[in-house]
Amino acid sequence: MSHRPSLDPAVADVRRAVRASLARLDPARPLVVGLSGGADSLALAAAVAFEARRSDVSAIAVVVDHGLQESSAEVAAGAAGTAGSLGLEACVVVVDVDTVGGVEAAARQARYRALRTVAEERGRAAVLVGHTLDDQAETVLLGLARGSGAASLKGMAPMSDLDGVPLVRPLLSLRRSATRAACAAQGLEPWDDPHNADPRFARVRTRNTVLPVLERQLGPGVAEALARTAEQLREDADAFDEMIGETIEDIVEHAEAGISVSAPALAANPAAIRHRIIRLVVASEFGASLSRVQTLEVARLVTDWSGQGPIDLPGCRARRIGDRIAFTAV
């Protein structure tokens, strides 16, 4: 009696994670897989190819060539070729990266714009990317070090919105070692991005130095604990957002060249909600983010009003007029 060869556990784990994520989407929705050629995205692409065949769903691997390394075109072509061998349609998108504000952030923005463009062309396809539990832990640790607050500490969501198309991260519960093992089991040779070993980048230092030190000094399981922290904070943030959404409808009014908020209503709320409303108003109306210091200065117009003048903020100015806090464009 013949037996089917057993499936490697790592391959099974990746496929199971992808299957669970796809179950949350419209089964007819096309899929776009972000593929760099690294182990994480390669394991994801292989699993998506397998699941897409089973469910007869259209899927394409998009390789974004950032042009930041001499061999980038060759690497992109190789990744696209590997995707083709997995049975996926594949394309390479070349982008220009404006590095003035930092290479990492600029490359990420250019990459997501390219993925979203393809997703729109494919009928608002879902975009799948290969972030793992390790990436989540690094994100939380970096946010903690920068004092970024809950908005950063909640990390990356398994499913979010990318300007109108679903952005899905199926592998957030898996360690990076699992994606490497899955690639090895399937005979896939991942590409190691030299930037992932460059200590100039804070994320690389966190990955290669800080987290290993924490694991040695505090014991194993630090990455998993950070990921659990992100999940718990995300639940708290979702609850806050729902409360703020209900509150903001009653206390915000459009004003000339801006928007205004009731100062007594803000004062009646706990500080956490008051500060979130202030940040949300500025972000939604003017597309700007406030620092902790800036948020507290605006809050003083509510809780410690003594006739102080306007406060200059990114993209706007805040001042108290009677019983309202007015935010106006500058």
Side-chain angles (χ1 to χ4, degrees):
M1 180 177 178
S2 62
H3 295 278
R4 293 172 57 187
S6 59
L7 185 63
D8 182 87
V11 175
D13 286 343
V14 175
R15 289 181 180 176
R16 192 178 301 115
V18 168
R19 192 176 307 138
S21 290
L22 296 185
R24 300 173 61 188
L25 298 171
D26 179 342
R29 185 185 289 273
L31 306 175
V32 168
V33 185
L35 176 61
S36 67
D40 301 338
S41 65
L42 195 55
L44 173 64
V48 170
F50 178 81
E51 296 298 329
R53 282 195 301 272
R54 293 179 72 228
S55 53
D56 196 26
V57 173
S58 169
I60 181 173
V62 178
V63 185
V64 179
D65 179 1
H66 302 87
L68 296 174
Q69 300 167 18
E70 290 184 5
S71 61
S72 65
E74 180 182 347
V75 170
T82 300
S85 71
L86 292 169
L88 287 172
E89 182 183 353
C91 71
V92 175
V93 179
V94 180
V95 297
D96 292 322
V97 178
D98 182 358
T99 60
V100 174
V103 173
E104 284 182 297
R108 181 172 58 252
Q109 291 169 2
R111 179 166 60 252
Y112 279 129
R113 281 196 301 269
L115 291 171
R116 183 188 177 280
T117 297
V118 176
E120 285 285 359
E121 293 171 349
R122 293 272 165 160
R124 303 178 75 79
V127 174
L128 282 68
V129 292
H131 294 122
T132 64
L133 185 147
D134 295 80
D135 295 305
Q136 184 77 295
E138 293 157 14
T139 298
V140 175
L141 195 55
L142 284 168
L144 182 63
R146 292 164 178 162
S148 303
S152 177
L153 296 183
K154 68 181 183 179
M156 298 174 286
M159 187 172 294
S160 56
D161 179 81
L162 181 61
D163 294 330
V165 302
L167 177 62
V168 188
R169 299 179 175 93
L171 308 185
L172 280 182
S173 64
L174 300 181
R175 296 298 302 262
R176 192 172 288 132
S177 56
T179 64
R180 287 199 167 275
C183 287
Q186 296 171 96
L188 302 173
E189 186 173 349
W191 170 68
D192 290 317
D193 186 347
H195 283 168
N196 289 335
D198 190 337
R200 291 178 301 168
F201 301 118
R203 184 173 289 273
V204 172
R205 297 194 299 274
T206 301
R207 176 180 304 168
N208 295 338
T209 303
V210 178
L211 269 172
V213 167
L214 289 176
E215 293 273 357
R216 287 197 300 271
Q217 297 299 321
L218 301 179
V222 171
E224 288 85 353
L226 289 168
R228 286 196 304 273
T229 298
E231 186 175 1
Q232 293 164 8
L233 284 172
R234 203 159 45 246
E235 292 174 353
D236 292 346
D238 290 344
F240 265 124
D241 289 343
E242 185 174 347
M243 292 173 62
I244 289 168
E246 295 173 353
T247 301
I248 210 166
E249 293 180 1
D250 299 325
I251 67 174
V252 172
E253 295 178 0
H254 284 284
E256 186 176 352
I259 198 167
S260 72
V261 187
S262 166
L266 282 175
N269 278 288
I273 294 179
R274 180 164 57 246
H275 297 161
R276 281 175 178 264
I277 290 174
I278 290 169
R279 290 195 296 268
L280 179 61
V281 164
V282 173
S284 59
E285 188 71 15
F286 305 101
S289 298
L290 297 187
S291 68
R292 172 73 173 174
V293 171
Q294 291 166 336
T295 303
L296 292 177
E297 281 301 302
V298 176
R300 286 185 64 241
L301 297 177
V302 176
T303 60
D304 192 20
W305 169 242
S306 57
Q308 58 264 46
I311 300 171
D312 290 326
L313 302 169
C316 66
R317 180 176 291 120
R319 61 182 299 183
R320 180 155 179 166
I321 304 174
D323 65 351
R324 301 196 71 81
I325 309 300
F327 298 86
T328 54
V330 294

